[in-house]
Structures are given as structure tokens and as C-alpha cells.
Amino acid sequence: DAKTTQPPSMDCAEGRAANLPCNHSTISGNEYVYWYRQIHSQGPQYIIHGLKNNETNEMASLIITEDRKSSTLILPHATLRDTAVYYCIVRSPNFGNEKLTFGTGTRLTIIP
Amino acid sequence: DAMVIQNPRYQVTQFGKPVTLSCSQTLNHNVMYWYQQKSSQAPKLLFHYYDKDFNNEADTPDNFQSRRPNTSFCFLDIRSPGLGDAAMYLCATSRAQVAGEDGYTFGSGTRLTVV
């Protein structure tokens, strides 16, 4: 699976949009971009995933560049409960490749 | 609600005394995983089961073993815990890889302390 690069930490004011970048310049054509987050002392939580097109769900939006070498997770109206470590993971959908490999992630702190 | 349940939430064990952590799931997922997460680090995969097929990561110490008696349950056995094995242990499940599958479901973890 392709390697990802994320900033180690970010701050965002409560109520503002939090934009978390991720570089995955070696991504292959069939690899998906997944985002998870981990709130302190809890298990990781799935947020969103995408292949080429931008995606939106009730939690967040995912913007993938046209060349697919980077993406941005957007939390549209950040709340204090969004303070967590956010992991960007690239994963192949191929049968037999079930592993999810975590990188170092971005520690997002929402400021009141 | 369908979920992944880990028991206990906190476990204290003595140095060298075998300990077992348990995980159950009601999702009927055929893949189950064990991750180790040390303080301020990302989760690290130890091994996973694809149905009954056991897949060990190359760098997982022999001290760590696993059992999956049926679809719903999976156990992590640490034969002789050392101080360096103190960590959060996370269980996760997923369906067999499906293109665009929406990912894993994690339990809340068991925090292991070795004294």
C-alpha cells in the first residue's frame, strides 16, 4: 500500500472548517484513500473514503486532487468533540489485502 | 447495535504471567484483527484472521498468540508479558475485501498494564 504523509499537528477554532491535508504521491490507480480518527483512549473510528471523486457524508467531506496524489479531509463546522488524531490511509481493494496500516496521523486540536 | 466488544476494558497482569484478552463481534464479519498501540504511537497490526486462516505479521513477537474458535470471538494470548508489552490492544473486524468497502469497525480496546 502507498505511504502517506500528514502534518503532525493542527489547531482549528471551534465552529470553523478544519482542513486536514494528506499526501500520497505513490498511490496506485486502484487504491482508495481512507480517513479514520481516534479520540483519546478510544478505538479508531471510520470517517470517509474515496477513490477519485470527492465524497461527502454526515461527518466530513473528502477532496481528492485530480492526479490523486493528495487529498484533504474537511470537517465543515468543527466542535470540541472533533479533537482527535486523524489518520489518512491508502489501501488496495484487492482480494487478500485486508490489512489497514496506520501512519503517524495528524493531531487535531479544536480551540474554544 | 452491532458492534465489536472487548473485555476487559482495563487489565493488570504480573510480569511473566500469561494473560488473555478477548474480543467478540456481532457484525458477522469474516476478518478479525489485533492491533497493539503504545502510548503516543499509531496502532500496529499484530495479526489477523481471514475466517480461520491465521496471518501473522513478520515482526510480531512469538510471545503473542491468537485463537479464533468461531466467527464471533477472537482471543489474544500473551504468554509471558514483559514491561514493554504494556499498551492498548485493539480488536477490529471487517468483511472480506470489497472494492469501496467502508472500512473496519474497532472495539474500544483493552489497556494492559504489566506490573
Side-chain angles (χ1 to χ4, degrees):
Chain A
D1 293 335
K3 186 178 173 64
T4 62
T5 303
Q6 299 177 251
S9 64
M10 293 180 63
D11 293 338
C12 179
E14 187 179 17
R16 304 298 294 268
N19 296 278
L20 291 91
C22 179
N23 285 321
H24 31 79
S25 58
T26 60
I27 193 169
S28 299
N30 67 344
E31 288 182 318
Y32 283 73
V33 180
Y34 284 80
W35 284 84
Y36 285 77
R37 73 180 183 184
Q38 188 174 23
I39 296 170
H40 183 63
S41 295
Q42 297 182 21
Q45 176 191 24
Y46 166 80
I47 302 173
I48 199 168
H49 74 285
L51 181 62
K52 296 180 181 178
N53 300 322
N54 298 337
E55 302 288 344
T56 296
N57 62 20
E58 65 277 5
M59 290 182 68
S61 294
L62 174 60
I63 308 298
I64 302 174
T65 58
E66 192 169 342
D67 63 7
R68 302 209 325 121
K69 293 184 177 182
S70 64
S71 60
T72 301
L73 178 73
I74 301 173
L75 308 177
H77 305 286
T79 71
L80 298 179
R81 288 177 295 180
D82 292 322
T83 292
V85 178
Y86 287 77
Y87 294 100
C88 168
I89 301 169
V90 170
R91 183 183 177 201
S92 167
N94 293 336
F95 182 80
N97 182 26
E98 293 81 24
K99 297 191 296 185
L100 197 67
T101 302
F102 288 83
T104 53
T106 295
R107 183 174 297 277
L108 176 67
T109 302
I110 306 302
I111 309 296
Chain B
D1 288 343
M3 59 177 63
V4 178
I5 301 168
Q6 291 189 243
N7 284 307
R9 188 80 172 88
Y10 299 92
Q11 175 75 56
V12 180
T13 191
Q14 290 182 332
F15 182 94
K17 183 175 181 180
V19 64
T20 295
L21 309 182
S22 71
C23 177
S24 64
Q25 55 130 340
T26 59
L27 297 159
N28 204 33
H29 284 172
N30 55 348
V31 192
M32 295 187 76
Y33 312 78
W34 280 105
Y35 284 83
Q36 179 193 62
Q37 186 174 26
K38 295 187 177 181
S39 181
S40 300
Q41 297 184 19
K44 179 179 181 299
L45 182 64
L46 294 174
F47 26 59
H48 73 279
Y49 274 94
Y50 188 111
D51 292 323
K52 292 188 175 182
D53 293 333
F54 177 71
N55 298 272
N56 198 29
E57 292 300 294
D59 56 354
T60 298
D62 293 339
N63 198 25
F64 292 86
Q65 303 288 322
S66 185
R67 296 170 285 133
R68 190 180 185 186
N70 54 51
T71 299
S72 300
F73 286 87
C74 196
F75 300 97
L76 171 63
D77 300 309
I78 308 176
R79 293 191 295 188
S80 181
L83 297 179
D85 297 326
M88 173 79 86
Y89 290 88
L90 294 161
C91 175
T93 72
S94 72
R95 293 195 294 169
Q97 185 65 282
V98 175
E101 174 64 31
D102 63 359
Y104 291 26
T105 302
F106 282 83
S108 297
T110 294
R111 184 167 297 281
L112 179 69
T113 300
V114 181
V115 299

